[in-house]
Amino acid sequence: MKEHVVIHDNELMVEKISKGVIEYTRKHRGETVVSRILYHATRLELLPMYPVMLPKKFTTYILVKLEKPVAVPPRREVDIYIKIPVDTAVYAYGPLHRFLVIDVFTHHRIKYYLYGPPDRGVVARYAYSKVYVKKPETEFGEALAYIHIRNRYISWVEVGQVLLDAQILKLYYKPETWNACTQYISLVANSPSTASIYYGRRISGEYRPIQDPPDLKPPRLLAKTEMLWGLK
């Protein structure tokens, strides 16, 4: 990371204090919001981050509302692309390539949504996306997600939202760019209101996986997400 970087309303600065000691500072609209003293940090890196860390992590779910529902006939399959918001993390690397996430920030409006009933549903970071039939370009703060929709039901289904779990989801980035993507995602509609979501392999070999924060990726037995309370 450079000694001085400006990203929208955020100004990131790195200053060497003495041998082996640096100070990292982030100002938002001129006001200092983060300041850290780092010893023996070998490098700092800006990477995309799952949008569940702000203002603090209390959920791992992301609900992406689609601009227009996608209607799929019975026993048929379709492919779409969507965009999900990603935040920006500052990674500090030290000896043995160990890392610490020292800062996370966003330029998106942060909104959370209850998916499902109050007593059984889940709180999710809310996002909104157009539906793309061809691979679109992404900008800073966006990750591309390829969604394969399969309708196993005997009638048409309409998919108007996608629930993702950051504990299973993987984020990838293209070095020296702001380009980010997820792995292949399969949404299997079991009824007009329920679906199972499976997480597959990476989209492109030129993208590298981010190193996940340890507290975000506890072991899970089943690598899928169940949408039990509506598809639109």
Side-chain angles (χ1 to χ4, degrees):
M1 180 177 143
K2 298 179 180 179
E3 294 182 354
H4 182 260
V5 178
V6 176
I7 304 175
H8 294 275
D9 293 332
N10 292 282
E11 183 181 10
L12 286 62
M13 294 166 287
V14 179
E15 180 182 358
K16 182 178 180 181
I17 298 177
S18 64
K19 185 177 180 180
V21 185
I22 62 173
E23 180 179 7
Y24 165 81
T25 303
R26 176 169 62 88
K27 293 183 178 182
H28 179 70
R29 297 179 179 176
E31 180 181 350
T32 299
V33 290
V34 176
S35 184
R36 298 281 187 275
I37 302 296
L38 304 173
Y39 283 78
H40 305 296
T42 56
R43 64 186 172 97
L44 302 184
E45 189 172 12
L46 292 168
L47 293 174
M49 177 54 64
Y50 306 95
V52 295
M53 308 296 284
L54 298 173
K56 63 179 181 179
K57 186 175 76 68
F58 62 89
T59 183
T60 60
Y61 289 98
I62 307 158
L63 184 72
V64 184
K65 189 75 173 180
L66 306 184
E67 179 187 40
K68 299 175 182 178
V70 177
V72 185
R75 313 298 186 187
R76 299 300 294 268
E77 303 176 8
V78 301
D79 298 320
I80 64 170
Y81 291 94
I82 65 173
K83 296 179 181 180
I84 67 171
V86 289
D87 297 333
T88 303
V90 180
Y91 279 59
Y93 293 89
L96 304 177
H97 302 289
R98 300 294 176 88
F99 71 91
L100 176 68
V101 178
I102 61 172
D103 190 15
V104 180
F105 61 95
T106 186
H107 75 281
H108 298 288
R109 179 173 174 237
I110 299 175
K111 181 179 179 180
Y112 286 89
Y113 181 88
L114 175 63
Y115 173 74
D119 59 333
R120 291 177 295 152
V122 297
V123 175
R125 172 78 178 264
Y126 182 84
Y128 179 83
S129 176
K130 292 182 178 180
V131 176
Y132 303 89
V133 295
K134 296 182 179 179
K135 184 178 178 180
E137 296 293 326
T138 56
E139 299 178 354
F140 170 77
E142 298 176 338
L144 187 67
Y146 169 89
I147 311 291
H148 178 78
I149 302 175
R150 181 159 62 100
N151 181 10
R152 296 176 54 187
Y153 192 57
I154 58 175
S155 299
W156 285 72
V157 299
E158 288 188 288
V159 178
Q161 57 190 3
V162 179
L163 183 69
L164 302 173
D165 188 348
Q167 287 188 98
I168 314 171
L169 190 70
K170 286 293 296 181
L171 269 182
Y172 300 87
Y173 70 101
K174 189 175 182 180
E176 300 181 3
T177 75
W178 293 121
N179 295 338
C181 67
T182 71
Q183 74 273 66
Y184 286 101
I185 296 169
S186 178
L187 186 152
V188 180
N190 303 309
S191 78
S193 61
T194 63
S196 300
I197 294 178
Y198 300 89
Y199 302 80
R201 57 185 174 84
R202 77 172 71 182
I203 291 177
S204 172
E206 65 180 343
Y207 283 73
R208 297 178 185 175
I210 71 165
Q211 291 183 275
D212 296 321
D215 62 340
L216 186 62
K217 299 289 182 175
R220 285 186 63 114
L221 297 177
L222 298 176
K224 67 176 181 176
T225 302
E226 297 291 348
M227 294 185 66
L228 304 176
W229 300 290
L231 300 183
K232 63 178 183 175

